[in-house]
Amino acid sequence: MDLLLLEKALLGLFAAVTLAIVMSKLRGKHFKLPPGPLPVPVFGNWLQVGDDLNHRNLTALAKRFGDILLLRMGVRNLVVVSNPELAREVLHAQGVEFGSRTRNVVFDIFTGKGQDMVFTVYGDHWRKMRRIMTVPFFTNKVVQQNRQGWEEEARHVVEDVKRDPKAATQGVVLRRRLQLMMYNNMYRIMFNYRFQGMDDPLFNKLRAANGERSRLAQSFEYNYGDFIPILRPFLRGYLKKCQELKDGRLKLFDDHFVAAKKKTMDQLGSKMELKCAIDHILDAERRGEINYDNVLYIVENINVAAIETTLWSIEWGVAELVNHPEIQRKLRQELDTVLGPGVPITEPDLQKLPYLQAVIKETLRLRMAIPLLVPHMNLHDAKLGGFDIPAESKILVNAWWLANNPAHWKNPEEFRPERFLEEEAKVEANGNDFRYLPFGVGRRSCPGIILALPILGITLGSLVQSFELLPPPGANKVDTTEKGGQFSLHILKHSTIVCKPRA
Ligand code: HEM
């Protein structure tokens, strides 16, 4: 017991000295740092602000300290940006300076210290990865080649739900079936592969592994070891779990999908016809542009960045439509009038459906899946809003607050798609307005927007065309309590939805 206390005291002392050195170094540079709560030795502001730095807590801090503020979380500097002008500075004007990503002990494991694309620093590797991924994933050609597949997957969802006798009475957790749909949408693009159904063992293995990856990475549980490096030995168990999961997941992707393709590529070389995304990625590997690990990390990135975010947004959209029956009715009316009753929605129809587009924009505004964007980072000392930003600070752009600040939006707490047809008619999801950045903007913005928007449109459109979406018996609303993570936001309780087929 005494030994343990002694060990803790020594650790504390060591950490205090480390922080004192860091702070004296910063002071020595005569930095004019952004305002923020007064840090205490070792812990900085950690004990004052706590672990859960979600978009709402950061908004409360911005109201106290201003649109740019600094938090010291142990040895880490965290800068929070909360107005459109500063967002423009970070993402656009100084997009190179602030275009890197922070990682932490856990993300280092899951990304092999930035061998992927999403979490790598801004530089040659990122540029190469983004270029290699563009043709197989992020072009209009990809949308045109895959949109019938997405329409088909949405029809399968409708058929399966109609077949489930409980759906129209007690209701079903619609998300579960939509999750299978999202896996199929993305695995068709990646590997030309579809899972057979909810009981497909491979689907369930992947779902579990990806879910655990999200949980471990987004949790606040490991903050202490990240903020105070001397405490890292206490994280050994957690990091071991992450490492095993990461190895298992990459092996799963390799054994079931990538290795066989690689073998064919090795046999056929440049004669291989490039049919799905992985063929293009392996072709880049064959030409020596990237290595085999990079290939697996691309698959890893798509599994997380594409499937989860889009699924969360669909789930939020369904919840808001259930809780706003008049909006749901108006949307159904638009679908019936423009397409004709019972005519299934297709991707080319989306441009004729302004109200559907407004519903999607409003969902992404009020319920932003990545409300703080993926954290940015400056590799070198930088200036922002008249302040000095020490090198390697984590920069959080509070995109949720930019899109929910009553100073910039009329009654932002209301779910009102009409705003995007009226006073905000010119605002698009692609970042043409720095108040509304659900996909970020600039160099590190989401390249998947080109796929996400049509998938959202086809899915929500199909559901509303086919069903009256209602809360479960006995409730008049679904619970929309939020669950945030390091930078994610989803619904806490997956809602049970009654899906009453339309006559
Ligand atoms: C509704 C669905 C989605 C939302 C809300 C969303 C949102 C975002 C956001 C906010 C970022 C970070 C922007 C920044 O840091 O400045 C991001 C990055 C990224 N997203 Fe998405 N995303 C979605 C769907 C997708 C899809 C479908 C894909 C792939 C097919 C994808 C791939 C990526 C990638 C690769 C990055 C990293 C870009 C980089 O670091 O250069 N996302 N996304």
Side-chain angles (χ1 to χ4, degrees):
M1 182 68 187
D2 283 352
L3 266 178
L4 198 67
L5 271 179
L6 182 68
E7 190 182 0
K8 278 192 176 162
L10 284 173
L11 289 179
L13 191 67
F14 187 84
V17 172
T18 313
L19 188 81
I21 293 169
V22 171
M23 285 179 70
S24 74
K25 273 198 179 157
L26 292 183
R27 273 203 214 99
K29 286 191 175 176
H30 302 294
F31 270 179
K32 183 186 169 202
L33 298 171
L38 203 66
V40 299
V42 184
F43 300 103
N45 305 118
W46 181 31
L47 301 180
Q48 293 147 284
V49 297
D51 271 331
D52 187 359
L53 295 176
N54 68 49
H55 55 293
R56 290 183 196 273
N57 293 340
L58 291 180
T59 299
L61 284 170
K63 285 179 184 165
R64 271 178 67 198
F65 296 102
D67 287 340
I68 174 165
L69 67 95
L70 173 76
L71 297 175
R72 291 173 184 282
M73 306 300 279
V75 297
R76 301 230 182 232
N77 288 315
L78 199 155
V79 174
V80 187
V81 163
S82 305
N83 76 29
E85 292 71 35
L86 288 167
R88 179 194 298 274
E89 196 65 24
V90 169
L91 303 171
H92 180 67
Q94 296 200 64
V96 172
E97 288 82 347
F98 291 104
S100 284
R101 297 279 192 215
T102 40
R103 294 189 304 265
N104 57 38
V105 283
V106 167
F107 279 89
D108 266 353
I109 293 176
F110 286 124
T111 67
K113 297 204 168 141
Q115 292 186 65
D116 67 333
M117 188 265 227
V118 182
F119 290 95
T120 198
V121 292
Y122 183 76
D124 288 344
H125 175 70
W126 171 79
R127 255 188 298 277
K128 199 165 54 183
M129 292 286 266
R130 189 133 172 165
R131 177 174 49 76
I132 288 168
M133 287 173 77
T134 298
V135 168
F137 287 109
F138 307 128
T139 63
N140 193 40
K141 195 170 164 202
V142 177
V143 176
Q144 293 318 316
Q145 280 167 347
N146 287 279
R147 59 110 176 157
Q148 278 161 336
W150 304 335
E151 291 154 16
E152 193 179 287
E153 294 300 335
R155 274 201 300 280
H156 288 315
V157 173
V158 169
E159 285 156 15
D160 283 359
V161 173
K162 279 188 179 163
R163 260 199 300 271
D164 185 338
K166 282 203 311 289
T169 51
Q170 288 153 266
V172 285
V173 180
L174 203 48
R175 175 194 200 266
R176 293 207 190 115
R177 183 59 187 82
L178 292 168
Q179 186 177 37
L180 173 65
M181 179 200 79
M182 270 316 295
Y183 270 81
N184 278 340
N185 283 348
M186 293 317 300
Y187 272 69
R188 283 174 89 149
I189 300 179
M190 273 195 287
F191 305 113
N192 204 7
Y193 185 90
R194 71 181 296 278
F195 300 96
Q196 286 316 304
M198 308 271 284
D199 302 329
D200 186 320
L202 183 54
F203 164 62
N204 282 304
K205 260 193 211 166
L206 286 163
R207 192 171 68 95
N210 286 334
E212 186 64 355
R213 145 75 164 87
S214 276
R215 196 189 65 75
L216 287 170
Q218 292 293 337
S219 163
F220 301 111
E221 235 180 283
Y222 61 84
N223 277 356
Y224 72 92
D226 190 52
F227 297 160
I228 304 177
I230 197 75
L231 298 180
R232 216 159 278 174
F234 297 104
L235 266 188
R236 215 174 283 140
Y238 197 91
L239 299 183
K240 185 163 170 267
K241 217 191 281 179
C242 295
Q243 186 65 47
E244 284 167 5
L245 177 70
K246 176 263 183 87
D247 294 343
R249 263 176 89 235
L250 293 194
K251 188 164 166 8
L252 205 55
F253 300 144
D254 196 17
D255 289 354
H256 292 276
F257 298 100
V258 188
K261 285 279 186 187
K262 160 91 175 139
K263 205 166 151 200
T264 318
M265 176 69 75
D266 285 347
Q267 282 160 359
L268 298 179
S270 59
K271 291 199 204 84
M272 177 150 155
E273 198 190 336
L274 308 182
K275 285 192 193 141
C276 51
I278 198 69
D279 298 342
H280 289 265
I281 307 293
L282 282 167
D283 192 45
E285 190 243 4
R286 183 185 63 79
R287 286 184 275 107
E289 290 199 62
I290 50 173
N291 63 34
Y292 196 64
D293 283 344
N294 300 142
V295 174
L296 295 179
Y297 283 113
I298 287 176
V299 176
E300 124 79 30
N301 276 178
I302 296 290
N303 269 269
V304 191
I307 295 178
E308 301 258 311
T309 42
T310 313
L311 183 62
W312 294 336
S313 304
I314 298 173
E315 203 179 0
W316 279 122
V318 169
E320 292 297 353
L321 288 169
V322 170
N323 287 350
H324 296 89
E326 67 299 343
I327 293 173
Q328 193 185 142
R329 259 193 304 277
K330 198 165 159 185
L331 174 56
R332 190 170 296 118
Q333 174 106 43
E334 179 184 73
L335 291 158
D336 284 354
T337 312
V338 176
L339 307 179
V343 180
I345 183 171
T346 64
E347 186 273 337
D349 296 329
L350 296 175
Q351 51 172 329
K352 297 181 281 184
L353 298 163
Y355 196 67
L356 174 60
Q357 290 187 33
V359 166
I360 292 167
K361 283 184 191 171
E362 183 67 341
T363 304
L364 295 169
R365 184 191 67 79
L366 191 64
R367 308 295 192 175
M368 233 174 243
I370 319 280
L372 305 170
L373 308 185
V374 178
H376 284 238
M377 190 255 274
N378 52 318
L379 276 175
H380 309 288
D381 292 344
K383 294 244 179 232
L384 184 62
F387 296 100
D388 291 301
I389 309 297
E392 299 194 4
S393 295
K394 176 171 174 173
I395 316 288
L396 294 179
V397 175
N398 193 345
W400 178 84
W401 179 234
L402 304 183
N404 284 271
N405 182 346
H408 299 303
W409 298 80
K410 205 163 114 188
N411 301 331
E413 67 293 343
E414 259 179 55
F415 184 80
R416 186 173 59 88
E418 285 74 8
R419 75 177 77 245
F420 285 106
L421 303 171
E422 295 164 10
E423 74 270 19
E424 308 293 357
K426 294 206 173 77
V427 178
E428 298 296 340
N430 63 7
N432 71 342
D433 185 317
F434 280 82
R435 292 171 307 146
Y436 183 61
L437 306 172
F439 295 92
V441 66
R443 290 165 181 75
R444 298 309 290 257
S445 66
C446 177
I449 182 175
I450 193 164
L451 313 181
L453 290 178
I455 292 175
L456 275 162
I458 292 166
T459 310
L460 290 175
S462 300
L463 289 172
V464 171
Q465 273 188 315
S466 314
F467 302 106
E468 206 181 323
L469 302 166
L470 301 162
N476 61 1
K477 287 216 182 282
V478 294
D479 181 353
T480 53
T481 309
E482 297 171 343
K483 166 108 174 81
Q486 296 274 349
F487 55 83
S488 64
L489 176 68
H490 51 92
I491 202 164
L492 176 67
K493 292 186 195 136
H494 302 310
S495 327
T496 298
I497 311 284
V498 171
C499 306
K500 230 179 176 174
R502 292 182 67 207

